[in-house]
Amino acid sequence: MNTTPKPTEAVEPVDQRLPLGTMLLYGLQHVLVMAAAPITAAFLIGHTLDLADDVTVGLMSAIFLACGLAGILQSVGAFGFGARLPFVQVPGGAPLVIFLAIAQATDLQTATGAVILTGLFYFLALPFFTRLLKYFPPIVIGTMLLLVAINLIRIFGGLITGRPGSPEFASMGSIALALVTIACTVLFARCFSGIWQRIAVMLGLLAGATVAVLGGAMSFDNVLAGPMIAFPQPFPFGMPKFDLFASLPLLIFCVVSMTEATGQTLATAEIVGRRGDHKAIVPHNIRADALGSLFGGCFGTSLIITSGENIGIIRATGVRSRYVTIAAGAMLVLLALIAPLGRLAHAVPTAVVAGTAVIVFAIIGVMGINILRKVDFDQNGNMFTLAAALAMGILPIVVPGFYSAFPEHLQIVLGNGLAMGTLTAVLVNILFHHLGTSRRPRNGGAAPPLEASKGD
């Protein structure tokens, strides 16, 4: 009897188990591409909220742990959680801005509670998600990404200069380190190709750190001080407080995050050649994002979501096996538990990390501009949607305290430029394209092209 398997029974590329050495090598590439995100996220939270160094190191470990476990869940897939695709997870830039705004307007316990509420809200919103898509067209997504870039560049620019009035404010050394880091990142992106080009950001950070070591601005004295193994502490800021109104900006972002996850799932499934209905696995991706965010919230971080870098790495390497990202997730868990690695990352000067973050978030702004290029601004509705969103979003960013005379609960939403700009874009777009008219302009009210909505 012929036992040769039929072509349909062959193992799909996404399910192929590679040799251990190859799997670890490609897994390391994934880690290098996304490692800058957890490092910059921990630095941003720690410096913005004046956390102690040991708390910031613990937070960095928690972010690595959450990203690693969530990535493994996405790649393995179990009980409807995880798309069984080669995904890695990162702390998204937009939710990080919102998390910090909530923490500054209230406290860290309320910001932690907002993350946990949003993680739960994913599950509640998922059945109605497709009905909400029409309210988040490209003009809303593009505006949001542009505001993310403006907000985070302002924040990280402040980390480079330091506090106004302090003796170290705008020191030439700090600014030079940041500029060298940015310049090296751009040069690596220009001179390299393939996977080396994909990790230009990480190489730029390493180059900046090398310059800092040579210039005496970085020390390794405390790297080996303390325990070798450390498990991140749950609820490092105390038990969470749950304030639905304070959580509103993150709850709004939840729909945007699901839109991004949809585009990334469909695009990745197509690239790896997965058989079957790709749309059917989108809810599995979103549930894993929700669970990863819940876990991250319990350890003091913001939302942990699917990274758009997955698509770029797969295209650059041609490696489609999900076992590669399982290996990457395991490496991230090891990074989280080996304490000296966290202390080493924390030893990198703030100017180097902030310089890396500035170029990364500027790229996010470029992605937003690219999406907005596809919008027809000859339509009055589109022009006023963007104008109103930028006005309401940029004002509290460039004029801190703009709403300081308003009630505190209103300041949480009004003073958050990202949340206010996105909410304004949604409402003005509804006003022009969904109310009182049966004729919709070409790009005003259509659901966003799924792949175009990637960007955080």
Side-chain angles (χ1 to χ4, degrees):
M1 182 176 64
N2 184 8
T3 58
T4 303
K6 298 178 181 179
T8 55
E9 295 173 347
V11 176
E12 294 186 53
V14 71
D15 294 323
Q16 286 181 346
R17 295 174 182 260
L18 303 176
L20 181 61
T22 303
M23 187 169 64
L24 292 176
L25 177 62
Y26 285 123
L28 179 61
Q29 289 178 339
H30 277 272
V31 171
L32 288 174
V33 168
M34 60 79 64
I39 294 172
T40 54
F43 264 82
L44 180 59
I45 295 173
H47 284 273
T48 303
L49 303 177
D50 290 324
L51 302 180
D53 287 350
D54 59 333
V55 176
T56 303
V57 171
L59 190 60
M60 191 179 301
S61 296
I63 295 173
F64 274 120
L65 181 63
C67 291
L69 293 177
I72 292 172
L73 179 62
Q74 282 283 19
S75 303
V76 172
F79 307 108
F81 291 85
R84 295 173 67 86
L85 290 171
F87 278 145
V88 292
Q89 307 292 102
V90 296
L96 186 60
V97 173
I98 299 172
F99 174 84
L100 287 171
I102 296 172
Q104 289 176 315
T106 55
D107 50 44
L108 271 166
Q109 294 96 322
T110 303
T112 299
V115 174
I116 295 172
L117 282 177
T118 304
L120 295 173
F121 184 69
Y122 272 102
F123 295 105
L124 297 176
L126 186 54
F128 310 100
F129 167 58
T130 54
R131 300 179 188 177
L132 298 174
L133 269 177
K134 63 181 178 180
Y135 301 120
F136 291 83
I139 193 167
V140 174
I141 305 295
T143 303
M144 182 201 72
L145 295 180
L146 195 54
L147 290 173
V148 167
I150 295 170
N151 205 331
L152 284 173
I153 289 173
R154 179 188 66 83
I155 293 172
F156 276 104
L159 293 182
I160 294 170
T161 60
R163 295 186 182 277
S166 65
E168 300 83 14
F169 177 68
S171 72
M172 186 178 295
S174 293
I175 293 177
L177 265 181
L179 294 179
V180 165
T181 302
I182 293 171
C184 287
T185 302
V186 174
L187 285 174
F188 292 143
R190 171 64 182 86
C191 298
F192 294 150
S193 60
I195 190 61
W196 292 104
Q197 190 177 69
R198 299 298 306 175
I199 63 173
V201 170
M202 194 65 197
L203 293 176
L205 189 149
L206 293 175
T210 301
V211 173
V213 171
L214 296 175
M218 180 176 172
S219 170
F220 301 100
D221 292 344
N222 297 322
V223 171
L224 297 179
M228 296 297 292
I229 303 295
F231 191 84
Q233 178 187 349
F235 303 113
F237 312 122
M239 293 306 294
K241 300 176 185 176
F242 300 103
D243 184 329
L244 191 58
F245 192 86
S247 305
L248 186 61
L250 267 183
L251 297 178
I252 294 171
F253 173 79
C254 174
V255 181
V256 177
S257 174
M258 289 192 288
T259 305
E260 293 178 347
T262 300
Q264 289 162 6
T265 302
L266 298 180
T268 303
E270 184 68 26
I271 292 168
V272 301
R274 187 183 183 96
R275 293 193 292 264
D277 181 7
H278 297 168
K279 292 182 181 179
I281 59 175
V282 169
H284 298 213
N285 180 321
I286 293 173
R287 290 190 200 105
D289 276 2
L291 199 59
S293 295
L294 275 173
F295 181 86
C298 292
F299 283 86
T301 76
S302 185
L303 302 184
I304 304 297
I305 56 179
T306 306
S307 167
E309 291 291 351
N310 298 286
I311 299 168
I313 301 172
I314 296 167
R315 281 177 172 161
T317 64
V319 178
R320 296 178 282 178
S321 172
R322 59 191 172 92
Y323 289 95
V324 167
T325 46
I326 293 174
M331 291 179 191
L332 290 172
V333 172
L334 286 176
L335 279 174
L337 300 180
I338 300 175
L341 294 178
R343 293 193 287 268
L344 176 61
H346 188 261
V348 179
T350 301
V352 173
V353 177
T356 299
V358 164
I359 191 70
V360 167
F361 292 116
I363 291 171
I364 289 178
V366 173
M367 291 178 178
I369 293 170
N370 189 48
I371 292 174
L372 291 173
R373 284 175 57 241
K374 302 169 185 176
V375 177
D376 181 6
F377 287 108
D378 288 335
Q379 297 286 344
N380 245 9
N382 292 333
M383 182 180 68
F384 277 100
T385 297
L386 179 60
L390 290 180
M392 297 301 292
I394 291 178
L395 267 175
I397 295 174
V398 299
V399 188
F402 189 82
Y403 295 105
S404 57
F406 284 63
E408 286 187 7
H409 271 74
L410 286 179
Q411 288 183 43
I412 295 173
V413 178
L414 294 174
N416 185 327
L418 174 59
M420 198 59 200
T422 304
L423 182 59
T424 300
V426 170
L427 294 178
V428 177
N429 182 69
I430 290 174
L431 176 65
F432 275 95
H433 301 300
H434 296 276
L435 294 180
T437 178
S438 58
R439 181 179 64 84
R440 294 180 183 175
R442 284 175 286 172
N443 290 329
L450 292 173
E451 189 168 352
S453 65
K454 303 185 300 293
D456 194 26

